Each structure stands twice: as structure tokens, then as C-alpha cells.
Amino acid sequence: MQMEAPPVRRAIVLAAGLGQRMRPITDTLPKPLVAIGGKTMLDHALDRLAEAGVEQAVVNVHHLPERIESHLAARLQPGIAISDERGLLLETGGGAKKALPLLGQEPFFSVNADSLWSENGVSNLAAMAAAWDPARMDLLLLLAEREGSVGFDGAGDFFRDGQGRLARRGAAANAPFVYAGVAILKPELFADTPEGSFSLNLLFDRAIAAGRLFGHELDGRWLHVGTPEAIPLAEAAYAAHQG
């Protein structure tokens, strides 16, 4: 009988990026503080985590860090800890590795601060946590359908088999699923990783090779906000699919 996985109570929100594709907005405002539907993207992410039962969130900072720290100062749920990357931008993997002392020994969420989606009355993050099976999985990614996503015109990232295991798009012209910027992962995956800057894609590829990268499909609509031009598209989609 499968033992129930413990709840996922901690998270890192990756908010340190430069947001170069969002310039000139990000010359003076960190991308996570861009507002969609009257709420910053960072607060959208933190509210989703709180709804899913996450008690403590680490937010990493590098670009215009004082703006983010000031914005978060009054936040109570989830509790906030800052991982300071002022000296060196560490990318997604290096940023999560630096924050491990704040994240503890249990699996945790990693959430891109600009990950934004609508929901159909259920918490996607709570559903991810319920689907998490550490005996089979090293990583569980939140996936969005490429064709139904707003503001995304890429070729897609992953194929998923009948068991939920993922494979890269590789040489295929396109793939049906896009990584929606949310993962559950194990701290021990960082044991044999580079010092300094590296991408979480390194861990994704290792998990694929071991047959232990899985995907959970988003119940809702993913809103990709990569450029200034995508903001009004996301605003309209959020208003139409608020959840």
C-alpha cells in the first residue's frame, strides 16, 4: 500500500531575475512586482502557495532587491524569508541551492515569481502536493497545454506518457506541454550540483535519465507574461478566467 506523502509546507519563489525581456518596465520595477488584475505577480504566487497550505516561503532577490523586500515586509501568510543574491545572480538551480538552509529537509515547491494561471475552483498546488509520490518521483512539474496558454508562442517543452513521466521535446517540431514554472523537488537532488550559477534544467535532465521526472497538468489556464506586450493579454485573460 502506498504511504501518504507528507504535505509540502515550504517553498522558494524565484524572484531574482533581471527581467530583461520586460524592459523598459524592469529598469525601475522588478518583474515580480508587475501587477496583473490589480495584484503583483509575486503576490499571485504567494497567495497560491498559502492557499495550498505552504507555511514558509523563501524569496530570493538580486535585481532591485530593496523594492521586493519592502513590498513583502508586511506579509504574514506564508511567512517570508529572504535569500540574498545581491552579490551574484545564481539562476534557478543555484538560487534554490543557496536557499536550502532555509528550506529544510523535506520536499519543497519551487515557483517562478512570474508564474500566473487561472484556476477552475481547485488549488493546482494542493493537487500537485496530493499527486506527489516521492517513492517514484524526484521532481513533479506543473504543466500547461501549449495550445491553450495565453501569451506563449513557443514549441513546447515536454511529452508525457501514460504514467505521467516526462520526456523532452528533443528534435520534434513541437510538444504538447509547457513547463508552467512550478515544481516539487527533493533537497537531496542538489548534493552533486555545481557551486554558483546553474539552471534547474540540470536536475530535470538527471530525473529524466532516471525515469523520475513527472508532470501534473494544470486545471486552468496558464498566462505567460514575458514582455510588456503580454501584459494586456494576461490582464484580459485573468479577468475572463478569474479563479
Side-chain angles (χ1 to χ4, degrees):
M1 185 174 67
Q2 177 182 323
M3 294 190 64
E4 186 175 348
V8 182
R9 297 300 192 197
R10 298 202 176 202
I12 182 167
V13 180
L14 300 168
L18 299 175
Q20 292 178 324
R21 294 179 62 225
M22 192 64 83
R23 295 181 68 187
I25 293 171
T26 48
D27 288 341
T28 56
L29 184 72
K31 184 180 177 183
L33 297 188
V34 171
I36 302 295
K39 183 191 296 187
T40 71
M41 291 195 284
L42 178 56
D43 284 314
H44 279 290
L46 289 167
D47 286 350
R48 297 295 195 210
L49 288 165
E51 290 162 6
V54 169
E55 298 167 353
Q56 186 77 16
V58 179
V59 179
N60 68 345
V61 296
H62 172 82
H63 179 54
L64 302 174
E66 296 85 1
R67 295 289 301 271
I68 293 177
E69 289 174 327
S70 175
H71 181 80
L72 293 173
R75 180 140 197 147
L76 299 177
Q77 295 294 329
I80 301 294
I82 299 293
S83 182
D84 192 336
E85 295 180 24
R86 283 172 172 82
L88 177 65
L89 186 60
L90 294 171
E91 293 189 77
T92 53
K97 183 175 181 176
K98 177 179 170 60
L100 287 178
L102 299 170
L103 289 166
Q105 302 301 312
E106 298 297 327
F108 59 89
F109 281 107
S110 171
V111 181
N112 294 347
D114 58 356
S115 290
L116 187 64
W117 62 89
S118 65
E119 298 198 327
N120 293 325
V122 297
S123 166
N124 279 276
L125 299 190
M128 278 186 77
W132 170 250
D133 179 2
R136 292 191 303 141
M137 304 171 183
D138 284 340
L139 283 137
L140 179 63
L141 308 187
L142 184 64
L143 302 178
E145 289 187 344
R146 176 178 59 85
E147 292 189 355
S149 299
V150 175
F152 181 79
D153 59 1
D157 300 318
F158 294 106
F159 294 96
R160 186 176 62 160
D161 70 13
Q163 304 302 312
R165 286 186 178 84
L166 301 183
R168 293 276 192 188
R169 173 170 56 88
N174 53 63
F177 293 108
V178 181
Y179 174 50
V182 181
I184 298 175
L185 63 162
K186 299 175 177 178
E188 54 264 37
L189 298 177
F190 293 89
D192 182 26
T193 53
E195 295 302 316
S197 177
F198 68 94
S199 170
L200 282 175
N201 279 300
L202 172 65
L203 302 186
F204 295 178
D205 287 336
R206 288 179 176 179
I208 288 172
R212 296 179 62 84
L213 184 71
F214 284 74
H216 179 84
E217 187 173 349
L218 174 72
D219 182 9
R221 202 168 188 198
W222 186 52
L223 313 177
H224 180 61
V225 190
T227 64
E229 294 75 23
I231 293 174
L233 295 175
E235 288 271 10
Y238 182 79
H241 300 276
Q242 204 170 140

